[in-house]
């Protein structure tokens, strides 16, 4: 008998007019479910490839992958960032373009490998936190029908479970469930050294010219952890993008960042927040990012926040950073990490003020 997840996915396909096949834009082939195209004629749905996590690669690379998928597979493709809510206007337009003309409500299925962002895609499409999500792979439970507008009904599926653990760095399996996280971690190291030279050296202070096994051992020694624990850490940071986020900055990104001048209400709120943290938190005891968020939210309550704010504070071996007013969460995180250094121990991304300006809080340990 087919496994439960397989039967569930088949049911979703059979009830959908349009099926979104969610892939990781960094691994379009490895996160491709090869059986899905063969099921299109069986269940009479139209497939759209959604290349998620586009915030983790330069725009030119996302465009290249999109064009390659459309050319080689003869299927519409859209790249998005579920985390940054980017690209969803285009995705919605594509869904309506390929949907049958004779239906009043378009039913949309969402399938894909573990942890490629299926539930966050649904949240963005429906403009609310409708589907349960977690950083743990395979967390979404059962099938949910979510209204995405007057003419759109979105169906969430539990996704396709891969069987090849050797490809874990591509399909982003939860490192905690891997029997051997070392092998996929070596694959991550090899790719990072090739595509993001300097990232591992700056992050861990190791020599990148060595072979991946030696690099993993060096990182393990630096962290004072065993190989398995170090491998899991690398896989988690690769999945969420933090391992190389500083090295994803493009020329356009740098140019836009340079135009952002600190000032206005945002800067005043950042300075007041850091002063309050310095007064109430004993040195050597790290505040949580949630605590800093609470102070900033309270100070900004009812205000229309303008301008851009940025500031950091040292509390012994710990660092606290606050950024307000930029357009992109990831860019705020990158700037704070560059300024603070060390290991991120807590992070908050949220909106403040009556006009909902974006804000980020980072707490780090070390330099």
């Amino acid at each position: 008998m087919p496994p439960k997840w397989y039967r569930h996915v088949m049911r979703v396909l059979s009830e959908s007019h349009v099926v979104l096949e969610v892939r990781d834009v960094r691994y379009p082939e490895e996160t491709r479910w090869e059986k899905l195209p063969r099921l299109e004629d069986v269940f009479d749905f139209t497939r759209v490839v959604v290349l998620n996590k586009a915030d983790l690669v330069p725009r030119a690379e996302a465009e290249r992958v999109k064009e390659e998928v459309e050319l080689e597979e003869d299927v519409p493709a859209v790249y998005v960032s579920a985390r940054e809510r980017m690209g969803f206007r285009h995705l919605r337009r594509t869904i309506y373009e390929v949907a049958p003309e004779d239906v009043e409500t378009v039913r949309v299925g969402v399938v894909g490998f573990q942890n490629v962002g299926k539930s966050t895609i649904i949240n963005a499409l429906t403009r609310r936190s409708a589907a349960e999500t977690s950083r743990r792979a395979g967390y979404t439970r059962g099938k949910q029908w979510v209204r995405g507008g007057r003419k759109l009904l979105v169906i969430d599926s539990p996704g396709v479970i891969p069987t090849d653990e050797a490809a874990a760095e591509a399909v982003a399996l939860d490192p905690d469930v891997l029997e051997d996280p070392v092998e996929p971690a070596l694959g991550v190291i090899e790719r990072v050294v090739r595509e993001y030279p300097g990232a591992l050296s700056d992050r861990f202070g190791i020599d990148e010219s060595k072979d991946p096994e030696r690099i993993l051992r060096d990182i393990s020694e630096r962290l004072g952890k065993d190989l398995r624990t170090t491998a899991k850490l690398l896989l988690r940071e690769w999945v969420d993008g933090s391992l190389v986020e500083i090295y994803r900055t493009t020329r356009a990104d740098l140019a836009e960042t340079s135009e952002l001048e600190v000032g206005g209400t945002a800067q005043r709120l950042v300075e007041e927040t850091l002063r309050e943290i310095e007064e109430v938190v004993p040195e050597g005891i790290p505040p949580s990012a949630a605590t800093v968020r609470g102070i900033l939210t309270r100070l900004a309550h009812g205000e229309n926040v303008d301008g851009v704010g940025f500031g950091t504070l040292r509390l012994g071996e710990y660092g606290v950073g606050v950024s307000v007013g930029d357009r992109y969460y990831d860019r705020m995180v990158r700037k704070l990490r560059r300024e603070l250094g060390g290991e991120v121990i807590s992070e908050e991304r949220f909106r403040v003020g009556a006009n909902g300006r974006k804000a980020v809080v980072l707490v780090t340990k070390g330099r």
Side-chain angles (χ1 to χ4, degrees):
M1 177 180 292
K4 184 177 180 179
W5 68 264
Y6 185 86
R7 299 197 305 272
H8 199 104
V9 170
M10 293 304 104
R11 182 180 176 188
V12 168
L13 299 182
S14 69
E15 297 176 3
S16 301
H17 299 120
V18 177
V19 171
L20 306 182
E21 181 191 0
V22 184
R23 304 186 196 174
D24 188 324
V25 70
R26 299 169 297 174
Y27 291 105
E29 285 301 312
E30 293 88 340
T31 51
R32 175 185 182 184
W33 189 28
E34 294 190 357
K35 176 174 280 191
L36 190 58
R38 299 196 296 271
L39 295 171
E40 285 187 70
D41 293 334
V42 175
F43 293 113
D44 194 25
F45 60 81
T46 301
R47 179 170 59 109
V48 175
V49 174
V50 180
L51 300 161
N52 194 21
K53 306 190 180 183
D55 56 304
L56 301 184
V57 300
R59 181 181 293 272
E61 174 65 8
E63 286 282 358
R64 184 195 66 79
V65 174
K66 172 184 178 296
E67 291 175 4
E68 191 172 272
V69 168
E70 290 181 331
L71 180 64
E72 294 184 0
E73 302 181 34
D74 191 25
V75 63
V78 179
Y79 61 84
V80 304
S81 168
R83 183 166 62 175
E84 294 290 340
R85 297 295 196 266
M86 293 165 49
F88 284 90
R89 183 178 299 176
H90 185 199
L91 178 58
R92 281 176 169 272
R93 186 165 61 246
T94 302
I95 290 171
Y96 288 123
E97 285 176 355
V98 304
E101 296 181 358
D102 58 345
V103 298
E104 292 185 2
T105 301
V106 180
R107 296 194 302 270
V108 179
V110 182
V111 299
F113 282 128
Q114 297 177 13
N115 214 25
V116 292
K118 298 182 298 298
S119 292
T120 33
I121 293 288
I122 290 175
N123 293 347
L125 276 175
T126 56
R127 299 190 179 97
R128 61 189 176 95
S129 297
E132 287 184 296
T133 61
S134 168
R135 289 183 64 182
R136 290 184 61 86
Y139 175 81
T140 307
R141 301 171 182 174
K143 185 181 68 174
Q144 304 177 65
W145 295 72
V146 186
R147 177 65 64 175
R150 187 168 57 87
K151 296 184 178 181
L152 191 68
L153 195 64
V154 185
I155 312 167
D156 187 24
S157 79
V160 179
I161 300 175
T163 57
D164 181 10
E165 289 188 355
E169 78 279 7
V171 298
L173 281 170
D174 181 356
D176 289 326
V177 305
L178 292 175
E179 291 185 9
D180 179 18
V182 172
E183 189 65 28
L186 294 176
V188 166
I189 290 172
E190 184 175 359
R191 178 163 183 174
V192 170
V193 169
R194 182 178 68 249
E195 298 184 9
Y196 304 94
L200 294 178
S201 177
D202 282 3
R203 173 72 173 84
F204 301 106
I206 52 86
D207 182 0
E208 291 187 354
S209 66
K210 299 178 181 179
D211 65 81
E213 292 185 8
R214 182 65 256 181
I215 290 175
L216 182 61
R217 287 197 296 271
D218 287 350
I219 295 173
S220 176
E221 292 170 5
R222 281 275 184 173
L223 298 177
K225 302 179 184 296
D226 59 63
L227 285 178
R228 285 181 57 85
T229 302
T230 302
K232 288 180 179 181
L233 181 146
L234 285 170
L235 289 175
R236 288 193 190 96
E237 290 197 3
W238 173 249
V239 169
D240 66 22
S242 61
L243 187 61
V244 297
E245 62 187 346
I246 292 175
Y247 291 82
R248 291 197 305 270
T249 305
T250 63
R251 290 181 183 272
D253 195 22
L254 286 171
E256 190 171 355
T257 302
S258 67
E259 295 172 1
L260 299 176
E261 295 184 3
V262 169
T265 311
Q267 183 60 22
R268 174 178 61 78
L269 290 169
V270 168
E271 292 173 357
E272 291 178 0
T273 299
L274 293 176
R275 276 198 298 270
E276 186 165 334
I277 287 293
E278 191 171 23
E279 291 171 0
V280 302
V281 177
E283 186 171 327
I285 300 178
S288 69
T291 298
V292 182
R293 170 181 179 168
I295 293 173
L296 177 57
T297 301
R298 170 170 53 79
L299 293 173
H301 179 70
E303 285 204 49
N304 281 318
V305 180
D306 58 27
V308 175
F310 180 87
T312 60
L313 171 69
R314 298 304 308 185
L315 297 170
E317 65 175 327
Y318 298 100
V320 179
V322 182
S323 182
V324 177
D326 197 347
R327 290 176 56 196
Y328 302 108
Y329 284 123
D330 275 2
R331 190 163 62 198
M332 288 190 276
V333 170
R334 284 198 297 269
K335 188 175 179 182
L336 287 171
R337 287 196 63 176
R338 284 196 297 268
E339 186 72 19
L340 292 169
E343 176 186 0
V344 176
I345 58 176
S346 61
E347 173 184 326
E348 291 282 332
R349 303 180 183 209
F350 54 104
R351 291 179 179 269
V352 295
N355 54 338
R357 296 300 296 276
K358 289 184 177 180
V360 167
V361 172
L362 286 190
V363 178
T364 64
K365 182 178 181 181
R367 293 180 183 269

